[in-house]
Amino acid sequence: GNSVTQMEGPVTLSEEAFLTINCTYTATGYPSLFWYVQYPGEGLQLLLKATKADDKGSNKGFEATYRKETTSFHLEKGSVQVSDSAVYFCALILTGGGNKLTFGTGTQLKVEL
Amino acid sequence: DSGVTQTPKHLITATGQRVTLRCSPRSGDLSVYWYQQSLDQGLQFLIQYYNGEERAKGNILERFSAQQFPDLHSELNLSSLELGDSALYFCASSLRADNTGELFFGEGSRLTVL
């Protein structure tokens, strides 16, 4: 079946540090990949997406590149802020088949001053 | 603000009881999805409705049921509640029947079963 594996959290960083949150996937077909973010007390929000190999999704300073050869979609940001503290979810959906968006377990990010 | 509204925000009830969670999708969206978020299971897809009809089914228990009404709001009914049903239940919506992965989530309904 399809699955998403994320690095365990919490990840604690100082403000302006570099962020990487690892995400790898297993899929029976050709997936589209997503990062969602959940701020405290809120629902999930789509952060960025990539629909084919070597695509780079980006938004709000965050980036992730779809790497088919390593089945990965790692989330990066060059300089995190306290306001980036949230839970980040990697997710996939198969292109053209099925309606199930499969999420990873989420990685909590804490950014301190 | 995603435009998706869920009520109630918090609900505390006892084992064996039945509750109904309500969701109003974003204006213009025809699909509604229900997800359960718990510490041990993560975020699990339960069910999707599109324009009043069931479209896709996930890991929804037989004790749970859902429907989407003509005005497109949806309700998730949870019955014979067990302690393990305590979780955050999210509703999400999108325009199309086919899930492109781009969903708009509500803030969730936190259910506590005592």
Side-chain angles (χ1 to χ4, degrees), chain A residues 5-76:
Chain A
T5 301
Q6 292 181 233
M7 62 188 289
E8 297 236 355
V11 173
T12 303
L13 295 174
S14 298
E15 203 169 40
E16 299 184 1
F18 184 86
L19 167 72
T20 300
I21 299 179
N22 290 338
C23 170
T24 57
Y25 66 88
T26 302
T28 54
Y30 196 67
S32 294
L33 302 173
F34 306 84
W35 278 99
Y36 275 81
V37 58
Q38 184 180 23
Y39 297 104
E42 298 184 13
L44 282 74
Q45 302 172 29
L46 179 63
L47 181 60
L48 54 84
K49 68 173 185 179
T51 58
K52 62 182 187 296
D54 300 324
D55 263 4
K56 178 185 283 189
S58 61
N59 186 25
K60 299 181 180 179
F62 290 90
E63 294 183 338
T65 301
Y66 188 142
R67 300 286 188 202
K68 189 178 177 184
E69 63 277 12
T70 55
T71 61
S72 65
F73 193 55
H74 304 322
L75 183 68
E76 297 181 337

Side-chain angles (χ1 to χ4, degrees), chain A residues 34 36 38 41-44 46 49 89 93 99-101 103, chain B residues 35 37 43 48 55 90 97-103 105-106:
Chain A
F34 306 84
Y36 275 81
Q38 184 180 23
E42 298 184 13
L44 282 74
L46 179 63
K49 68 173 185 179
F89 292 88
I93 193 165
N99 262 21
K100 184 179 176 184
L101 182 60
F103 286 91
Chain B
Y35 280 83
Q37 186 180 38
L43 204 59
Q48 177 204 356
R55 175 73 180 177
F90 284 109
D98 291 329
N99 188 351
T100 62
E102 298 185 47
L103 303 183
F105 281 80

